[in-house]
């Protein structure tokens, strides 16, 4: 059943409405477990839209297998999605930097507080992101090292290729995932694909993983396809590749490619002169899990990330 | 005065972004002043330009006390200002959320690192800043509560208010916060405007900085003593929010004294022009902040009031 979670008046004859679709078994048990599927916090990240559609479809195809509550929130930031805006239109701060929100804050912080209240008490949350318009990401779960012990076992169930356990940073304490984890709702952040696009294969892969996670939790009793075992990493095993010159980036290595240290993984070229400005080399041996898709780069633009240590394992 | 490029970033299609610093005096690193970091901070740029103009004159008259260096950086992100964007034009990231920066990181992290490398290690750091909510403030000095903040020093600007803000996670990457962590006494000076020039509050800001530098023994300059500031904890401000959306008619402005029950503003039906809500003051006090845009949403902060303070 589609429910309105938040509704706020906009200046002229419209409301900002955030909705969810609650799927639950027809016969209610005593204590049903609940999972929240959240996406659309950043308006330019659309991979989660397909995941929501497909998960809805799979569950509604076999409602007899549903043994718990699935709340699907396709658009935390509907105005952003509708206007192809990563952030919240007419608001300076990134929506994923104002959690847990406050009733005393500006409208968006009030909204965020109400979204938190709606998710409070859930047994699990999956927060689906799609990088941004510049970078493509291998399907992965990102986990703050403070919560790794609790979350890595869940992350292994969700059918991603990679689990990145990263160092904690104060600024990330205002994300949805951090805030939910702090109130006892285990929350996995999924990053996959690229902004403004939908990669159906990644979406299907994640849906299988969500169903598997639901099955492990006792929310889903239906069959689940094979689930891959992800590589679990820490910060020390990641090689970052940033541009040192402005120009046009022509990537050579693709996502999932294995590269050796020193391999040329792309070039930065100058369309005006025909010169190659930089031969971009892999800083470590490993597997490419991030690749720049948007060609124009400045010094500092992130080009690739490489997961090291794979070849040695 | 020495004018120099303190950081350069090459661009694929535009002239390089040259961040310019103006160095006055010489000797120990006494004070650093940073103007516009966001592309719409025109008032902040203007205030810095007026300050540079004044410091040039003062230096020519020998008014900078020996063994003191003052650095002024009027603009960090004019690549965005020149095309009408508030944030970094390529990826919409905010340079003032990237400090202390990282010289091997992403573009705006590199810009922040380049700027921070220049501005750190000064004894006093002053930034002309803007807030994330659209509206007007009374001119004030703002400090982060980092444990290193010194409100007595902030009082020496002679502005009417000093506000102490408890930092949230997102504040920990601002220039002000990182200045303090790196043991610079950091102050953010807020004037009334951001994207338009307001001469009165700009003059007030220039005077406040000159007054502060004089009182810290960096300048010789005679000026009015200014105010003995009221110190305000930001959390103690009374928030007034809307319970309806529509066209906003502001009836009270920052600095005005108001009384409990007084009408501060009205919200009008955008089609029929009728007043659908009155925004009423819940307390006696002085208006510290007010929403300025002509439209408001529901549940928006339209006023912040300093409780029980009188003119």
């Amino acid at each position: 059943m589609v429910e309105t979670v938040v509704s706020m008046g906009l200046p002229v004859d419209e409301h900002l409405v955030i909705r969810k679709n609650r799927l639950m078994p027809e016969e209610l048990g005593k204590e049903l477990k609940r999972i929240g599927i959240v996406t659309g916090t950043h308006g330019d990240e659309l991979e989660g839209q397909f995941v929501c559609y497909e998960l809805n479809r799979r569950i509604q195809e076999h409602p007899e297998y549903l043994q718990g509550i699935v709340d699907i929130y396709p658009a935390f930031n509907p105005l952003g999605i509708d206007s192809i805006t990563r952030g919240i239109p007419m608001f300076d701060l990134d929506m994923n930097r104002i959690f847990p929100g406050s009733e005393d804050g500006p409208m968006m912080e009030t909204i965020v507080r109400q979204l938190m209240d709606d998710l409070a008490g859930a047994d699990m949350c999956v927060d689906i992101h799609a990088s941004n318009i510049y970078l493509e990401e291998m399907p992965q779960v990102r986990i703050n090292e403070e919560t790794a012990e609790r979350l890595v076992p869940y992350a292994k169930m969700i059918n991603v290729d990679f689990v990145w356990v990263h160092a904690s940073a104060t600024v990330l304490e205002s994300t949805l995932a951090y805030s939910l984890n702090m109130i006892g709702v285990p929350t996995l952040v999924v990053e996959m694909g690229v902004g403004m696009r939908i990669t159906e294969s990644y979406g299907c892969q994640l849906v299988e993983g969500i169903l598997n996670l639901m099955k492990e939790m006792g929310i889903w009793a239906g069959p689940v396809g094979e689930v891959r075992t992800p590589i679990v990493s820490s910060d020390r095993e990641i090689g970052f590749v940033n541009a040192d010159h402005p120009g046009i980036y022509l990537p050579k290595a693709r996502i999932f490619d294995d590269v050796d240290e020193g391999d040329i993984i792309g070039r930065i070229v100058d369309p005006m002169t025909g010169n190659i400005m930089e031969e971009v080399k892999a800083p470590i041996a490993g597997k490419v899990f991030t690749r720049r898709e948007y060609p124009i780069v400045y010094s500092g633009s992130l080009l690739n990330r490489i997961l090291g240590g794979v070849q040695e394992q | 005065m020495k004018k120099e490029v303190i950081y350069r970033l090459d661009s694929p299609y535009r002239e390089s972004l040259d961040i310019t610093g103006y160095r006055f005096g010489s000797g120990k690193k006494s004070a650093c002043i940073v103007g516009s970091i966001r592309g719409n901070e025109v008032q902040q740029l203007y205030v810095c330009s007026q300050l540079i103009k004044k410091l040039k004159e003062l230096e020519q008259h020998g008014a900078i006390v020996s063994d003191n260096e003052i650095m002024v950086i009027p603009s960090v992100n004019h690549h965005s200002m020149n095309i009408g964007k508030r944030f970094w034009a390529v990826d919409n990231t905010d340079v003032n959320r990237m400090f202390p920066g990282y010289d091997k990181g992403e573009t705006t992290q590199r810009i922040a690192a380049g700027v921070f490398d220049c501005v750190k290690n000064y004894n006093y750091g002053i930034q002309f800043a803007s807030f994330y909510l659209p509206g007007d403030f009374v001119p004030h000095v703002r400090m982060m509560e980092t444990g290193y903040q010194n409100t007595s020093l902030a009082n020496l600007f002679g502005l009417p208010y000093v506000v102490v803000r408890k930092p949230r996670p997102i504040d920990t990457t601002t220039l002000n916060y990182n200045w303090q962590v790196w043991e610079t006494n950091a102050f953010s000076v807020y004037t009334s405007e951001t994207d338009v020039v307001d001469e009165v509050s700009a003059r007030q800001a220039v005077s406040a900085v000159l007054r502060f530098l004089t009182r810290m023994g960096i300048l010789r300059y005679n000026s009015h003593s200014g105010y003995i500031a009221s110190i305000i904890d930001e959390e103690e401000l009374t928030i007034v929010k809307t319970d309806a959306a529509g066209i906003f008619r502001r009836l009270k402005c920052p600095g005005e004294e108001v009384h409990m029950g007084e009408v501060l503003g009205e919200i009008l039906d955008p089609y029929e022009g009728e007043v659908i809500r009155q925004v009423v003051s819940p307390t006696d006090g002085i208006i510290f902040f007010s929403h300025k845009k002509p439209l408001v949403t529901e549940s928006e902060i339209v006023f912040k009031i300093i409780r029980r303070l009188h003119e």
Side-chain angles (χ1 to χ4, degrees), chain A residues 1-309:
Chain A
M1 184 176 66
V2 175
E3 300 173 16
T4 295
V5 181
V6 179
S7 174
M8 286 284 181
L10 294 173
V12 187
D13 204 9
E14 186 186 359
H15 286 79
L16 192 174
V17 181
I18 299 174
R19 297 181 299 170
K20 69 177 180 185
N21 191 7
R22 170 161 284 195
L23 306 174
M24 54 198 300
E26 285 183 10
E27 292 181 17
L28 298 180
K30 276 186 183 170
E31 287 187 11
L32 294 179
K33 289 202 169 172
R34 172 160 65 105
I35 186 170
I37 310 297
V38 172
T39 193
T41 306
H42 294 134
D44 61 350
E45 299 181 15
L46 304 178
E47 300 278 8
Q49 300 306 305
F50 177 76
V51 174
C52 289
Y53 157 76
E54 182 65 6
L55 186 63
N56 258 307
R57 190 189 70 76
R58 291 280 297 271
I59 293 171
Q60 290 175 53
E61 194 173 53
H62 288 288
E64 69 276 14
Y65 293 142
L66 190 60
Q67 298 183 335
I69 299 170
V70 183
D71 282 336
I72 299 176
Y73 305 75
F76 253 29
N77 176 12
L79 300 182
I81 296 177
D82 196 66
S83 57
I84 323 176
T85 307
R86 181 172 181 77
I88 303 155
M90 299 173 66
F91 187 68
D92 253 14
L93 302 180
D94 183 329
M95 189 176 187
N96 209 22
R97 297 288 182 275
I98 57 173
F99 284 92
S102 164
E103 289 288 350
D104 292 330
M107 178 185 76
M108 281 314 303
E109 293 188 29
T110 307
I111 287 176
V112 156
R113 178 76 250 168
Q114 293 175 12
L115 293 171
M116 280 290 294
D117 290 345
D118 200 66
L119 281 159
D123 299 281
M124 175 63 65
C125 179
V126 180
D127 180 19
I128 305 167
H129 291 260
S131 186
N132 53 40
I133 63 167
Y134 309 101
L135 302 168
E136 183 188 355
E137 296 284 353
M138 175 192 288
Q140 62 197 265
V141 170
R142 292 187 185 167
I143 296 175
N144 184 321
E145 63 186 359
E146 289 176 22
T147 49
E149 192 177 340
R150 185 176 187 207
L151 295 181
V152 167
Y154 293 121
K156 287 180 174 175
M157 299 173 191
I158 205 164
N159 203 26
V160 292
D161 298 275
F162 169 40
V163 177
W164 184 359
V165 180
H166 60 78
S168 60
T170 308
V171 71
L172 297 179
E173 290 174 11
S174 40
T175 60
L176 169 70
Y178 186 94
S179 302
L180 285 176
N181 279 311
M182 287 303 107
I183 61 166
V185 179
T187 301
L188 298 175
V189 176
V190 175
E191 286 279 2
M192 63 177 198
V194 63
M196 293 192 186
R197 296 287 180 273
I198 285 176
T199 315
E200 283 194 36
S201 59
Y202 289 168
C204 291
Q205 177 183 336
L206 183 62
V207 167
E208 213 61 52
I210 292 171
L211 289 170
N212 183 56
L213 179 64
M214 287 164 52
K215 191 163 188 172
E216 295 284 345
M217 293 173 65
I219 295 176
W220 180 248
V224 174
E226 195 173 333
V227 169
R228 60 193 78 189
T229 304
I231 302 162
V232 180
S233 178
S234 70
D235 276 354
R236 285 173 295 175
E237 298 170 288
I238 307 296
F240 289 80
V241 187
N242 294 78
D244 283 327
H245 292 88
I248 303 296
Y249 183 53
L250 303 175
K252 187 176 167 199
R254 292 165 300 183
I255 295 280
F256 293 104
D257 278 359
D258 291 317
V259 295
D260 284 323
E261 183 181 341
D263 280 358
I264 292 173
I265 55 175
R267 291 171 297 157
I268 298 174
V269 302
D270 181 350
M272 181 67 77
T273 63
N275 292 335
I276 294 174
M277 307 303 292
E278 185 181 346
E279 300 263 27
V280 178
K281 293 179 180 173
I284 60 170
K287 192 179 284 295
V288 175
F289 72 91
T290 303
R291 180 176 110 141
R292 188 170 187 90
E293 289 297 314
Y294 188 75
I296 295 171
V297 296
Y298 270 70
S299 170
S301 296
L302 185 62
L303 306 178
N304 290 93
R305 279 186 284 233
I306 297 169
L307 172 60

Side-chain angles (χ1 to χ4, degrees), chain B residues 82-117:
Chain B
N82 286 336
I83 58 170
K85 304 273 188 186
R86 177 161 162 82
F87 298 135
W88 183 243
V90 181
D91 61 7
N92 206 38
T93 53
D94 182 356
V95 178
N96 199 31
R97 305 265 177 215
M98 292 292 166
F99 286 97
Y102 177 44
D103 64 359
K104 293 182 174 52
E106 297 221 32
T107 307
T108 42
Q109 288 177 310
R110 291 185 184 202
I111 296 170
V115 171
F116 199 66
D117 194 46

